[in-house]
């Protein structure tokens, strides 16, 4: 029996070592992946903090989408006249989706629409369910808010594509979702009333409008700086051209003088007898 135990110990020890080696390699691979994720998060955080325009986009995204997700959870009780009432939620949802499509068409027809004004209009629509209990008024306000949602997504995605670098785009988008999810959880887990939640949405939409104003001011300032630099570059490139024009005029005069001297040397006899012939020869 002792011999068989020794044989089994010697035969199972390599298998255990192999299993331990595999477990260590798996753990090492997970640690490497975790290090890569942390490195990408650190680099993306530096990019966001270095450029105020990028973190202003994050503030706009977090505030507006937090209000939007709060609306997604609480619009159904707001359109009920009584707790036992059963309105046609499917038809209402279809109308809301049509309103969102209409909002996207508004942005396509007018891409220069001001998002600050859009956010202020959205805060006005949220003020209706925040201070009123009329289901029809709330329904109209929600349809108007869906028009704002249709304008928001293409406008903000266009803005993100201009400001956020491609190398860190996905990581920065994930960073933007951290405050968004925190705000939504605070609003929904606070067990506040429907009116209080929509009032918090009004505050969030006003904050999004203020952040958008600061972002638009920075964008206009950067555009003015770019125009000023383009003007200075044009002036710098135009200056050598004027110098070239000044230097070419003496060359033309010298060439004409040399041609006149050559004509005098070629036809000396004609020039002495007939001065107009000298001019003709020079020409």
């Amino acid at each position: 029996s002792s011999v068989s135990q020794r044989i089994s110990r010697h035969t199972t020890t390599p298998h255990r070592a192999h299993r331990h080696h595999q477990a260590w390699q798996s753990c090492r691979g997970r640690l490497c992946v975790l290090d890569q994720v942390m490195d990408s998060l650190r680099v993306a955080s530096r990019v966001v903090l270095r450029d105020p325009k990028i973190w202003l986009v994050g503030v706009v995204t977090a505030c507006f989408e937090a209000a939007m997700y709060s609306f997604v959870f609480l619009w159904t009780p707001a359109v009920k006249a009584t707790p036992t009432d059963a309105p046609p939620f499917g038809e209402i949802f279809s109308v809301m989706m049509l309103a969102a499509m209409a909002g996207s068409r508004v942005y396509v027809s007018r891409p220069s629409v001001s998002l600050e004004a859009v956010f202020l209009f959205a805060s006005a629509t949220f003020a209706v369910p925040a201070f009123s209990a009329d289901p029809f008024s709330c329904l109209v306000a929600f349809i108007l808010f869906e028009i704002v949602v249709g304008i928001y997504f293409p406008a903000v995605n266009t803005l993100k594509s201009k400001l956020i670098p491609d190398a860190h785009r996905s990581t920065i988008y994930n960073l933007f979702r951290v405050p968004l999810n925190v705000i939504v959880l605070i609003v929904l887990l606070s067990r506040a009333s429907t009116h209080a939640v929509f009032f918090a949405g009004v505050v969030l939409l006003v904050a999004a409008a203020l952040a958008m104003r600061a972002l638009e001011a920075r964008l206009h300032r950067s555009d003015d700086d770019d125009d000023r630099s383009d003007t200075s570059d044009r002036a710098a490139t135009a200056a050598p051209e004027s110098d070239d024009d000044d230097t070419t005029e003496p060359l033309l005069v010298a060439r004409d003088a040399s041609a006149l001297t050559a004509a005098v040397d070629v036809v000396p006899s004609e020039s002495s007898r007939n001065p107009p012939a000298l001019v003709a020869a020079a020409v």
Side-chain angles (χ1 to χ4, degrees):
S1 60
S2 61
V3 174
S4 61
Q5 289 178 357
R6 290 178 183 177
I7 293 173
S8 63
R9 189 183 301 126
H10 285 294
T11 55
T12 55
T13 300
H15 294 290
R16 290 177 183 175
H18 181 66
R19 284 199 300 269
H20 291 163
H21 179 71
Q22 286 182 340
W24 166 246
Q25 290 295 330
S26 176
C27 183
R28 184 179 179 183
R30 292 174 185 173
L31 290 175
C32 292
V33 172
L34 182 61
D35 291 338
Q36 292 176 0
V37 170
M38 295 304 296
D39 289 338
S40 63
L41 287 174
R42 280 193 291 268
V43 174
S45 301
R46 291 195 203 100
V47 172
V48 172
L49 296 176
R50 194 178 300 133
D51 192 350
K53 294 190 289 295
I54 295 179
W55 63 259
L56 282 173
V57 171
V59 172
V60 169
T61 302
C63 291
F64 182 86
E65 294 188 13
M68 183 187 69
Y69 286 123
S70 302
F71 157 77
V72 168
F73 283 104
L74 294 176
W75 74 268
T76 50
V79 296
K80 287 183 178 182
T82 60
T84 59
D85 192 13
F89 291 118
E91 296 176 3
I92 293 173
F93 184 77
S94 301
V95 173
M96 288 182 179
M97 293 301 100
L98 288 174
M101 290 176 60
S104 63
R105 293 301 302 172
V106 169
Y107 177 76
V108 170
S109 60
R110 295 192 62 185
S112 61
V113 63
S114 174
L115 282 178
E116 179 187 353
V118 170
F119 293 153
L120 291 176
F121 179 76
S123 66
T125 62
F126 265 44
V128 175
F131 298 103
S132 175
D134 183 25
F136 182 75
S137 300
C138 293
L139 176 61
V140 173
F142 293 159
I143 292 173
L144 294 176
F145 178 72
E146 286 293 338
I147 295 175
V148 172
V149 171
I151 297 173
Y152 164 80
F153 277 107
V156 169
N157 288 333
T158 303
L159 196 61
K160 288 178 180 178
S161 65
K162 293 179 181 178
L163 296 178
I164 298 176
D166 293 334
H168 311 288
R169 187 179 300 275
S170 61
T171 308
I172 292 175
Y173 285 0
N174 291 325
L175 288 176
F176 287 170
R177 291 196 171 274
V178 173
L180 164 64
N181 294 327
V182 170
I183 294 172
V184 172
L185 288 175
I186 291 173
V187 170
L188 295 180
L189 296 179
S190 61
R191 301 190 179 214
S193 63
T194 304
H195 298 286
V197 172
F198 279 108
F199 181 76
V202 172
V203 175
L204 288 171
L205 291 170
V206 171
L210 295 176
M212 195 66 214
R213 171 180 287 186
L215 178 60
E216 288 179 349
R218 289 183 178 274
L219 290 175
H220 289 318
R221 196 178 305 132
S222 62
D223 291 339
D224 293 339
D225 294 338
D226 293 338
D227 294 339
R228 199 175 296 113
S229 63
D230 292 340
T231 304
S232 61
D233 291 340
R234 275 194 231 103
T237 54
E241 293 179 358
S242 61
D243 295 340
D244 293 340
D245 294 338
D246 296 337
T247 56
T248 52
E249 290 181 359
L251 293 176
L252 292 175
V253 173
R255 189 180 63 186
D256 295 338
S258 62
L260 181 61
T261 305
V264 171
D265 294 337
V266 171
V267 287
S269 59
E270 293 293 333
S271 63
S272 61
R273 288 195 303 269
N274 189 6
L278 174 62
V279 178
V283 175

